[in-house]
């Protein structure tokens, strides 16, 4: 992008309800403009890698037939992963990246930059990528699991005086969002583990509310049998969702050669397929009468 256009773009402000809000400071943390700028700045890095590692003698890039160093590049905003066939090649890649970033006023984060073996694994965007017995299995990272447990624990801790319906209403979006983000990975065991953790948290929550009541009374009050499932945390209005309700669905890559402004039929079909894919959930049974 032209620097002048980018500068005007960043200082242009925004309009909401017919009012102009001028930009007086830098880009907000977590704002949508930050990943856009990162993608603009990093455009061309794959070409730089290609010129170094899989260019023909005439200078043309031929990744399909000349990728002997196993260089593959995956980017999400300003985070990226680059594969290589050896540590030596990986360090060469780092030098290429540094050279590419320097004229753009950027540099690699020393804390985040890691060279590791795929059999030891690495974390990226909330997943841990690692080979087990020669097979790559992406799983929700331990850090992501801990963050989900912490968030749910905080809600339950605040819910000392809440009724069951309110607690379920607050917890369901957290469970649903985390499960839908991770149901493309190898997450079945993690989902079951998190369901057990939440169950134990809710048992403690219920016992604190009724310290003079026995376990059987507490279980009958808050947990019910629904069709073929026992101990469902629910009311007559709603049911607590479970991580394991969400089926594992493998994500399909869109065709990179397709243009959303030209190949409209392809993307309309893609939207429909994505809609039904997201609907492929093992529905929670209806709440008891």
């Amino acid at each position: 992008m032209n620097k002048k256009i980018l500068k005007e773009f960043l200082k242009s402000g925004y309009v909401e309800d017919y009012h102009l809000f001028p930009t007086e400071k830098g880009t907000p943390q977590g704002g949508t403009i930050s990943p856009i700028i990162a993608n603009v700045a990093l455009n061309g890095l794959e070409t730089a890698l290609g010129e170094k590692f899989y260019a023909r003698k005439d200078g043309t890039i031929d990744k399909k037939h000349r990728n002997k160093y196993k260089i593959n590049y995956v980017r999400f905003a300003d985070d990226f992963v680059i594969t290589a066939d050896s540590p030596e090649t990986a360090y060469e890649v780092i030098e290429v990246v540094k050279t590419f970033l320097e004229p753009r006023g950027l540099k690699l984060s020393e804390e985040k930059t890691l060279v590791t073996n795929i059999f030891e694994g690495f974390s990226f965007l909330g997943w841990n990528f690692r080979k087990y017995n020669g097979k790559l299995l992406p799983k929700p990272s331990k850090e992501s699991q801990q963050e989900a447990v912490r968030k749910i624990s905080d809600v339950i801790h605040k819910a000392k005086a809440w009724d069951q319906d309110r607690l379920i209403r607050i917890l369901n979006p957290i469970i649903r969002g985390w499960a839908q983000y991770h149901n493309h990975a190898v997450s079945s065991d993690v989902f079951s583990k998190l369901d057990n953790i939440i169950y134990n948290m809710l048992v403690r929550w219920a016992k604190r509310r009724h310290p003079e009541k026995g376990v059987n009374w507490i279980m009958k009050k808050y947990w019910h049998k629904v069709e073929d499932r026992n101990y469902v945390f629910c009311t007559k209005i709603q049911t607590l969702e479970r991580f394991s309700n969400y089926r594992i669905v493998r994500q399909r890559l869109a065709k990179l050669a397709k243009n959303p402004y030209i190949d409209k039929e392809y993307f309309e079909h893609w939207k429909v397929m994505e809609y039904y894919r997201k609907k492929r959930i093992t529905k929670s049974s209806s709440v008891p009468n």
Side-chain angles (χ1 to χ4, degrees):
M1 178 181 285
N2 183 281
K3 289 185 178 180
K4 182 180 179 181
I5 296 176
L6 179 59
K7 185 177 180 180
E8 293 176 354
F9 183 56
L10 293 174
K11 293 188 175 182
S12 62
Y14 66 96
V15 175
E16 185 176 354
D17 294 331
Y18 302 100
H19 293 284
L20 174 64
F21 294 85
T23 299
E24 298 176 353
K25 297 182 179 180
T27 59
Q29 182 69 26
T32 55
I33 188 65
S34 294
I36 292 174
I37 295 173
N39 278 314
V40 170
L42 292 175
N43 279 343
L45 177 54
E46 186 169 12
T47 301
L49 291 168
E51 292 173 350
K52 170 69 176 178
F53 293 104
Y54 38 79
R56 292 179 177 273
K57 292 182 179 179
D58 60 1
T60 57
I61 297 174
D62 184 8
K63 182 179 178 180
K64 184 175 182 180
H65 298 97
R66 290 183 57 83
N67 194 8
K68 63 179 180 179
Y69 298 105
K70 298 183 179 179
I71 305 295
N72 295 287
Y73 170 56
V74 178
R75 184 175 88 214
F76 185 87
D78 59 344
D79 292 319
F80 54 84
V81 171
I82 303 175
T83 65
D85 64 336
S86 67
E88 293 76 18
T89 304
Y91 286 111
E92 287 187 52
V93 168
I94 290 176
E95 293 305 315
V96 173
V97 174
K98 287 181 178 179
T99 303
F100 176 84
L101 295 178
E102 187 175 0
R104 292 163 171 77
L106 302 173
K107 61 180 181 180
L108 286 176
S109 168
E110 294 184 3
E111 296 179 355
K112 292 184 177 180
T113 302
L114 171 69
V115 175
T116 184
N117 190 296
I118 191 60
F119 289 98
E120 297 176 3
F122 63 93
S123 294
F124 181 63
L125 302 178
W127 293 298
N128 180 262
F129 295 85
R130 180 182 170 187
K131 274 192 174 182
Y132 297 83
N133 297 322
K135 185 175 182 179
L136 179 63
L137 299 178
K139 300 180 179 183
S141 67
K142 291 183 179 179
E143 295 80 8
S144 183
Q145 295 177 48
Q146 291 169 357
E147 177 63 20
V149 171
R150 183 197 62 76
K151 188 178 294 186
I152 292 170
S153 177
D154 289 345
V155 170
I156 295 175
H157 182 74
K158 294 177 183 177
K160 293 178 180 178
W162 296 359
D163 59 29
Q164 189 179 9
D165 275 316
R166 183 182 179 186
L167 178 58
I168 293 174
R169 187 170 64 252
I170 301 300
L171 287 179
N172 273 350
I174 299 174
I175 297 171
R176 186 184 310 120
W178 200 91
Q180 288 179 342
Y181 182 82
H182 290 284
N183 73 330
H184 308 297
V186 182
S187 306
S188 296
D189 291 342
V190 173
F191 284 177
S192 296
K193 182 182 76 173
L194 293 179
D195 283 336
N196 290 332
I197 291 174
I198 294 176
Y199 170 79
N200 291 326
M201 287 182 181
L202 292 173
V203 169
R204 291 193 294 270
W205 171 82
K207 286 181 177 179
R208 284 196 301 267
R209 290 172 64 86
H210 307 282
E212 298 180 357
K213 297 292 185 178
V215 174
N216 289 336
W217 185 92
I218 290 173
M219 298 303 292
K220 288 181 180 179
K221 179 174 176 61
Y222 293 104
W223 282 267
H224 308 280
K225 182 175 181 179
V226 179
E227 296 182 359
D228 59 343
R229 281 183 54 200
N230 294 318
Y231 303 110
V232 178
F233 191 78
C234 62
T235 67
K236 292 182 178 180
I237 300 175
Q238 55 189 340
T239 300
L240 182 70
E241 294 201 25
R242 300 166 68 240
F243 289 100
S244 52
N245 285 348
Y246 290 81
R247 294 178 180 174
I248 304 303
V249 181
R250 297 291 175 252
Q251 184 65 278
R252 295 183 302 111
L253 290 176
K255 295 181 179 179
L256 299 180
K258 297 293 184 180
N259 187 312
Y261 297 100
I262 299 174
D263 307 293
K264 292 184 178 180
E265 292 185 4
Y266 172 81
F267 285 95
E268 287 299 325
H269 178 72
W270 182 267
K271 289 180 182 178
V272 173
M273 296 302 293
E274 282 294 289
Y275 172 80
Y276 284 108
R277 182 188 63 79
K278 291 179 180 178
K279 288 292 184 181
R280 289 180 58 196
I281 298 171
T282 304
K283 298 285 187 180
S284 299
S285 302
S286 57
V287 295
N289 298 323

